Amino acid sequence: MAYNTTTTTEFVVGWVSEPSGRGTLGIIWSCFFTIFVSTWTVLHLNLPAPNERHWQTQVRKAKWMTAAVLVPEVVTASAFAQRVAARESVKTMKAMNCPWTMKHAFYLNMGGFWIQPKDNQPFPINSAQLSYLIADGYMAAPSLTEAEIWDKSKVDRFAKIVACGQIGWLALQCVGRAVQSLPITPLELATVGFAIPSLATFCLWFEKPADIETPTKIPIPDTTVQLLERVSPRVYRWWQTPLDFIDTVNSPSFTSEIILKSRKWPGRNHFIGPATRIRNDNFALKYSKLDQVIVGMVWVGYAGVHLSAWNFDFPSRMELLLWRISSLVMAGSMVIFWITGNRKAYLLLSYLWPSKKEHLEKISSERAKVSTAQVLLGAVTTFSYLTARIILIVQVFLAFRKAPQGIFETVDWTKVLPHV
């Protein structure tokens, strides 16, 4: 399994069929199937916009699947942020003696509850807005039960079991090969590493409903103007929903901080909206130290798996060096992001597009704490990570053109499993 300059490894050049053992296609198919079923089942995206076509929903899911494959840490961080927000929602609602669970909180923050004014279009609300309205005495907590929420969900438990089983089988194969000193392909190792953030995301979204298309609308007896007169402390021009003075449903997020600000919107001090859905890329501003430790362990663990191929047999010495350097860079980048704070990447990017909107004071104050040195460090780290990630992805496929003959040998489980 190891790259050793004192011994000669017998290589096989080109495509290998599999009538009598493992073949190139079988290895690639097993890894691709594991990655596909993991990303497809792990994603629990927010509700789509009203009247959104089915193909638009599937395109959005395909984009997030691509992100889950190329940068799985981003998807895990997004899932973690959503769980932090849901946890805070449960704490706040229970303090007001409301029967509230994590499923309620996830459903709310994914755009499950919409306010329906008497004279205007309905709009989504999040946990901060709902708790404000309840505490203000304007409305009571929604009566939707946990069972009713889960009934709307389309979580495919069988597919999740298949995904976990496939990941477990691939990991067991790698362990068996290591025990018998059989070489492991870089693609198999990368797939096992990919399982770390996938399983973490699966756990983080375990209580989040999936593939819900129709929200629960809460009718109110007031018009939008009357609503604001009763609950708003001041008159203002809203941007996403009439309750922007409490919180914005799509900010802070990568989209609101980067894409919206980089466009030349007419009349930037007027509202841009209304929001037709709650986006999937919202991120939390507050994490506990334990939260940061958990996220960091997942990030560094995923990157660290690639370091276990330090002495693998590659087609050339240069490719081995490239793998080592790229693995170190990726692991080091994750450590830097972990130390500097898991939201610095967003703040770094938002720093490049300064906001003039008053409702983004939270982000502005956080951004003001980021020094120029941190911005430069973040830019270099991000670029280095992406470069290293691309190199590793390319290498897992190039390694098949000249692979050790041992990768096509199967594990003899009678020598691995204990005899009874």
Side-chain angles (χ1 to χ4, degrees):
M1 185 176 73
Y3 185 100
N4 194 327
T5 56
T6 62
T7 60
T8 302
T9 301
E10 186 175 351
F11 285 88
V12 176
V13 179
W15 190 270
V16 175
S17 58
E18 48 185 292
S20 58
R22 300 208 313 167
T24 306
L25 179 61
I27 296 172
I28 295 176
W29 168 252
S30 176
C31 294
F32 270 39
F33 178 75
T34 302
I35 292 174
F36 174 80
V37 74
S38 299
T39 54
W40 182 263
T41 58
V42 80
L43 290 178
H44 289 210
L45 300 184
N46 293 350
L47 272 70
N51 302 321
E52 193 171 73
R53 296 180 181 273
H54 180 71
W55 67 266
Q56 293 174 300
T57 305
Q58 296 306 309
V59 167
R60 181 178 301 115
K61 189 167 186 177
K63 290 178 180 178
W64 276 89
M65 285 182 65
T66 303
V69 173
L70 299 180
V71 281
E73 306 95 327
V74 172
V75 179
T76 303
S78 177
F80 204 95
Q82 291 179 18
R83 187 166 188 85
V84 169
R87 186 181 64 202
E88 292 300 312
S89 173
V90 171
K91 185 187 301 183
T92 302
M93 296 292 281
K94 284 188 174 181
M96 296 187 292
N97 296 320
C98 297
W100 208 247
T101 66
M102 288 293 289
K103 290 185 177 68
H104 283 95
F106 271 122
Y107 182 66
L108 170 61
N109 286 328
M110 67 188 290
F113 289 111
W114 285 50
I115 294 291
Q116 174 66 73
K118 188 168 61 176
D119 68 332
N120 209 335
Q121 293 292 327
F123 56 87
I125 58 174
N126 61 17
S127 56
Q129 294 169 341
L130 178 63
S131 59
Y132 180 94
L133 295 177
I134 295 174
D136 191 62
Y138 181 80
M139 62 184 296
S143 59
L144 197 66
T145 66
E146 187 178 39
E148 289 172 329
I149 292 174
W150 209 243
D151 185 62
K152 293 164 67 70
S153 176
K154 301 180 183 66
V155 173
D156 192 338
R157 296 189 183 279
F158 176 75
K160 289 184 179 294
I161 293 173
V162 171
C164 292
Q166 184 67 19
I167 291 173
W169 173 245
L170 184 62
L172 186 62
Q173 285 273 356
C174 291
V175 171
R177 300 187 69 82
V179 170
Q180 295 189 9
S181 298
L182 294 175
I184 303 169
T185 65
L187 177 59
E188 290 174 302
L189 184 70
T191 305
V192 171
F194 170 81
I196 295 177
S198 293
L199 291 175
T201 304
F202 171 79
C203 295
L204 292 168
W205 273 338
F206 186 76
E207 296 170 289
K208 182 181 179 181
D211 298 328
I212 297 178
E213 298 180 357
T214 306
T216 302
K217 294 182 180 179
I218 305 174
I220 59 175
D222 296 326
T223 64
T224 303
V225 174
Q226 291 171 336
L227 169 65
L228 294 178
E229 287 176 348
R230 290 185 58 180
V231 301
S232 175
R234 64 183 184 278
V235 178
Y236 73 105
R237 292 176 175 176
W238 53 273
W239 181 45
Q240 297 175 12
T241 75
L243 300 179
D244 279 350
F245 73 94
I246 304 171
D247 192 24
T248 46
V249 294
N250 284 322
S251 179
S253 71
F254 177 82
T255 303
S256 65
E257 286 303 295
I258 306 304
I259 299 176
L260 293 182
K261 291 182 199 174
S262 63
R263 294 175 181 171
K264 303 299 182 182
W265 293 101
R268 287 178 60 122
N269 290 325
H270 299 283
F271 77 87
I272 302 172
T276 56
R277 63 184 179 90
I278 295 182
R279 304 186 64 91
N280 296 280
D281 57 351
N282 284 2
F283 61 94
L285 285 174
K286 293 182 179 180
Y287 293 92
S288 68
K289 291 184 178 180
L290 179 59
D291 294 336
Q292 294 183 6
V293 168
I294 295 174
V295 171
M297 289 176 62
V298 173
W299 286 1
V300 176
Y302 166 67
V305 167
H306 296 78
L307 289 172
S308 61
W310 189 266
N311 288 320
F312 274 24
D313 289 308
F314 284 84
S316 68
R317 180 71 180 177
M318 179 58 69
E319 287 170 86
L320 174 63
L321 290 175
L322 270 176
W323 183 276
R324 289 176 174 178
I325 294 172
S326 299
S327 299
L328 285 172
V329 168
M330 192 167 73
S333 299
M334 291 297 97
V335 172
I336 291 175
F337 279 129
W338 184 14
I339 294 175
T340 58
N342 49 33
R343 64 180 183 270
K344 283 292 191 294
Y346 294 104
L347 295 175
L348 155 70
L349 293 173
S350 66
Y351 185 92
L352 303 178
W353 281 271
S355 171
K356 296 180 181 178
K357 294 186 178 296
E358 294 180 358
H359 69 277
L360 291 179
E361 293 136 348
K362 289 187 293 186
I363 282 293
S364 299
S365 62
E366 288 288 330
R367 190 191 303 120
K369 301 175 185 177
V370 181
S371 65
T372 303
Q374 287 177 310
V375 172
L376 293 176
L377 176 63
V380 173
T381 304
T382 303
F383 178 78
S384 301
Y385 170 81
L386 293 176
T387 303
R389 185 80 182 108
I390 292 172
I391 291 174
L392 291 176
I393 292 175
V394 172
Q395 280 199 278
V396 298
F397 296 105
L398 290 181
F400 281 104
R401 79 183 192 280
K402 184 182 178 183
Q405 187 175 10
I407 72 168
F408 302 107
E409 297 179 19
T410 57
V411 177
D412 185 355
W413 292 107
T414 60
K415 296 180 179 179
V416 177
L417 299 177
H419 296 285
V420 180

